[in-house]
Amino acid sequence: MRTFKNENQVKKISIGTLFPTDTILETSFIEEVYNVEAILKISDLKTKFSLNFELSEDDCIYGLGENLRGINKRGYQYESFCSDESKHLPGKTSLYAAHNFFIIHGKTNLGVYIDFSGKITYDIGFSSTDAMSILVAGKDFDIYIYEGSLNEIVKQFRTSLGMNYVPPKWGFGYQQSRWSYENADIVNEIASGFEVYDIPCDAIYLDIDYMERFKDFTVSDERFPHFKSFVSHFLEKDIKLIPIIDAGVKIEADYDVYEEGIKNDYFCTDSEGKPFVAAVWPGKVHFPDFLNPDARKWFGSKYQFLLDQGIKGFWNDMNEPAIFYSEKRLKETFEWLKAHENKNLDIYSFFEMIEKVNGLSNAVEDYKSLYHKVEGEPVNHYDVHNLYGYNMTRAADEGFKQYDDNQRVLLITRASHVGMAKHSGIWTGDNHSWWEHLKLNIQMMPSLNMVGFLYAGADTGGFQDDVSPDLMVRWMQFSLFTPLLRNHSALGTKMQEPWRFEKKIRQQLRDVIRLRYAFVPYLYSEFMKASIEFNMMFKPLSFEYADSESKAIEDQLLVGDALMIAPVYEQNAKGRMVYLPEKMLLWKASTFEAIKADQFEAVEAGYHYIKADLSELFIFIRPGKLLPLVEPMDRVSKLKTNEFIVIGYGSEKANYALYEDDGESFDFKAGKYNISTLEVDQNQVVTSNNDGHIIKTSFLF
Ligand code: GLC
């Protein structure tokens, strides 16, 4: 099943048409037909396809969107099969997403997108250091080939995908979450924590406990009485409440969503055509068949229940879909356990037992026994697995547009596929409070941007395990830059709202969050320009600098047009090595209030060890560029976005193209936005147009 429209006239190879029969072929036809220098061989293995590339020693492989390991994916194996993966360990091969786009960056560059909805396995220089081989589990797919510079390749690909999701501007504010703030009193307590400690916050999330026994599109009267007035009380404070919606619909008589789904055949079925029974949070559920347009429309319309109560944003979860167990598998497991109840379990039978019990969740066999109906025909879920979360989120987005077609709604989702980028943003799932996962977050941002997920971020501080104070600070310092800045943690872990920490740490967290608000105009402007121009907001250095050192840098990023960042991501580090591809201005930032000329220092190109206290983060301003900041406020809506403090680096002058729009409608799609140039030179402060921007203070180095 295809998800992609090739509007760009890029090179497309339809495998189904090329190899209609079951013949075994081995050919380097792409090289012949398209004169592509990299060698791609395609073999038809009857049920699977193998694509093989030769890699030169210096080739880097970028891409694969949300996946594990480094910016350069070379040297390991990966899988595209949306997985409810709760331990993102180095030995894992896939996360919640299927983003089958990659670029081979060598003497020439080659971008490849594989439009396929089932499983794909990548071996990128793992079995053999100079080969890349890709196994596609099916024949119904197309390959698109892109050539050009790294930035041109991404642009061509992203243009074909269409404009990425754009959240409301308040979505650039700080967002607080936890599994769970389980009743109205606790949510009130959280909001007042931000007030008492004077920490900015724009949104608070509601996890599964706001619902009545985990039923989608219900609110527990007991936990959240008078929900509508509760929501409006928060809207008066300009705080948005963001409820979760899960993929599974509870099986319960008289529950309207369940009854309607049954009546209209909106649920996925088993091989006999009966609604498939799986279990998730509420116990037994059915999964809506999001590949059926009517079911999609129906599910999308259900969000109205919450929109009507003043809700302005949602997070869609468990939509790989996650399965705790299926009825059938649970029964088999209990039978096995019963049969072995009085046995002496030796090591192998013990392992078998563990495997049976652990294998209850997210079993491939269950996915294989689940069916959709597409144009009246049954389609096995396994073949279209990666489209499930995508279509749940598409349903939500289309539902929002039905409700109000010119109002942006905040939407993030867990499972995703490339085609989904126009419908929502993503959070990167259930990470841990580990330094390694801060690094993973840093390294994942560019590949997410390559496939159109610009509105993205990780659970800041880490979801599982207890966060240490220093990790919380360092993670916040990185998340300062990610469009989605959400602090989220799991049931049973240490509370990690910023004020839960000792005074010194609380102060540092407050300073970083306030800095974030000072950066909002820059971040929003860079996000919107990147969206409109199909560009990336987070880039590896090699996307702008051609030197071989830049190609090897795995832990520094360019953020927008003006900045390079070098986050500290190791415990007890007193600084770090930084590589500068050219001379830049270093700002050791700590608090907005303390911005003073002596915090800035021009640093020569090359490698430097730079010291950093826990309170300091490194921001590098590129030559000729200007960073506009505003005074922090406690909400995005209160920021005075016409009064700037600017920091420029350029001996003569420095400038910045500032994007602005209304921050809430889609009018920007009709060109209703403004791009003005802020410019500072040695002698005077100038704004090059007269649209009311005031530069209150400027630093030019
Ligand atoms: C999943 C989500 C997590 C959420 C939890 C409970 O694990 O990834 O963010 O808090 O479910 O809903």
Side-chain angles (χ1 to χ4, degrees), residues 65-110:
E66 183 187 278
N67 216 314
L68 290 125
R69 303 177 90 85
I71 294 177
N72 179 359
K73 294 282 179 250
R74 194 163 175 169
Y76 208 62
Q77 322 177 71
Y78 306 87
E79 223 173 63
S80 271
F81 193 74
C82 298
S83 318
D84 168 24
E85 172 48 71
S86 64
K87 276 213 172 86
H88 311 166
L89 292 165
K92 296 285 167 82
T93 51
S94 90
L95 294 173
Y96 309 86
H99 298 158
N100 296 304
F101 172 73
F102 60 89
I103 305 175
I104 304 178
H105 174 43
K107 278 198 202 77
T108 55
N109 300 317
L110 180 73

Side-chain angles (χ1 to χ4, degrees), residues 81-281:
F81 193 74
C82 298
S83 318
D84 168 24
E85 172 48 71
S86 64
K87 276 213 172 86
H88 311 166
L89 292 165
K92 296 285 167 82
T93 51
S94 90
L95 294 173
Y96 309 86
H99 298 158
N100 296 304
F101 172 73
F102 60 89
I103 305 175
I104 304 178
H105 174 43
K107 278 198 202 77
T108 55
N109 300 317
L110 180 73
V112 179
Y113 173 57
I114 307 173
D115 189 6
F116 181 61
S117 46
K119 187 175 193 162
I120 304 185
T121 316
Y122 298 83
D123 177 328
I124 309 184
F126 179 69
S127 301
S128 160
T129 49
D130 50 12
M132 168 165 175
S133 79
I134 303 170
L135 260 192
V136 185
K139 292 177 86 163
D140 181 26
F141 68 98
D142 299 330
I143 303 175
Y144 295 85
I145 304 285
Y146 304 86
E147 295 167 275
S149 70
L150 290 169
N151 289 305
E152 282 162 0
I153 287 177
V154 171
K155 202 184 188 101
Q156 287 173 53
F157 172 59
R158 292 258 313 279
T159 308
S160 322
L161 293 176
M163 171 101 168
N164 55 260
Y165 166 78
V166 170
K169 190 173 177 186
W170 59 262
F172 282 72
Y174 175 84
Q175 307 184 36
Q176 184 62 55
S177 186
R178 166 104 179 152
W179 175 21
S180 236
Y181 301 136
E182 70 254 28
N183 60 42
D185 288 347
I186 297 177
V187 177
N188 279 323
E189 200 186 303
I190 296 299
S192 61
F194 284 95
E195 264 164 40
V196 170
Y197 293 101
D198 190 20
I199 300 173
C201 176
D202 265 82
I204 299 177
Y205 280 65
L206 303 180
D207 210 319
I208 46 176
D209 300 294
Y210 82 87
M211 298 182 230
E212 190 198 306
R213 282 168 291 125
F214 314 115
K215 291 189 291 185
D216 278 343
F217 312 115
T218 66
V219 175
S220 159
D221 272 347
E222 198 187 314
R223 291 163 186 267
F224 288 91
H226 316 297
F227 189 63
K228 192 169 181 177
S229 48
F230 185 69
V231 176
S232 48
H233 161 74
F234 273 85
L235 288 178
E236 277 157 27
K237 294 171 183 268
D238 201 8
I239 292 184
K240 279 82 180 170
L241 299 182
I242 306 187
I244 197 167
I245 301 292
D246 286 304
V249 170
K250 185 171 200 283
I251 301 176
E252 187 181 281
D254 298 333
Y255 163 39
D256 58 344
V257 184
Y258 163 75
E259 296 284 3
E260 287 168 24
I262 290 288
K263 186 166 147 234
N264 297 299
D265 274 341
Y266 287 153
F267 294 125
C268 293
T269 61
D270 60 20
S271 58
E272 290 163 15
K274 294 202 266 327
F276 185 90
V277 182
V280 203
W281 308 117

Side-chain angles (χ1 to χ4, degrees), residues 179 207-208 244 281 315 317-318 414 427 430 463 486 488:
W179 175 21
D207 210 319
I208 46 176
I244 197 167
W281 308 117
W315 44 319
D317 193 21
M318 307 296 273
R414 200 172 72 174
W427 89 99
D430 297 350
F463 177 67
R486 186 179 78 140
H488 181 51

Side-chain angles (χ1 to χ4, degrees), residues 541 544-545 547 550 556 558 561-564 578-587 600-608 610 619-626 648-654 701:
L541 268 48
E544 294 292 323
Y545 298 96
D547 59 296
S550 288
Q556 296 172 210
L558 300 169
D561 189 44
L563 307 180
M564 178 180 85
V578 180
Y579 172 70
L580 280 88
E582 61 181 329
K583 190 171 174 183
M584 292 182 189
L585 183 72
L586 165 63
W587 174 23
F600 300 94
E601 178 197 346
V603 182
E604 295 295 334
Y607 286 97
H608 301 269
I610 305 179
I619 297 164
F620 294 88
I621 300 168
R622 298 168 68 188
K625 309 289 183 183
L626 191 74
Y649 183 49
S651 50
E652 302 274 300
K653 61 181 181 186
F701 298 88

Side-chain angles (χ1 to χ4, degrees), residues 672-687:
K672 287 195 187 153
Y673 57 81
N674 189 30
I675 297 189
S676 39
T677 309
L678 305 178
E679 190 169 273
V680 183
D681 72 21
Q682 278 298 348
N683 311 311
Q684 51 178 325
V685 169
V686 213
T687 53

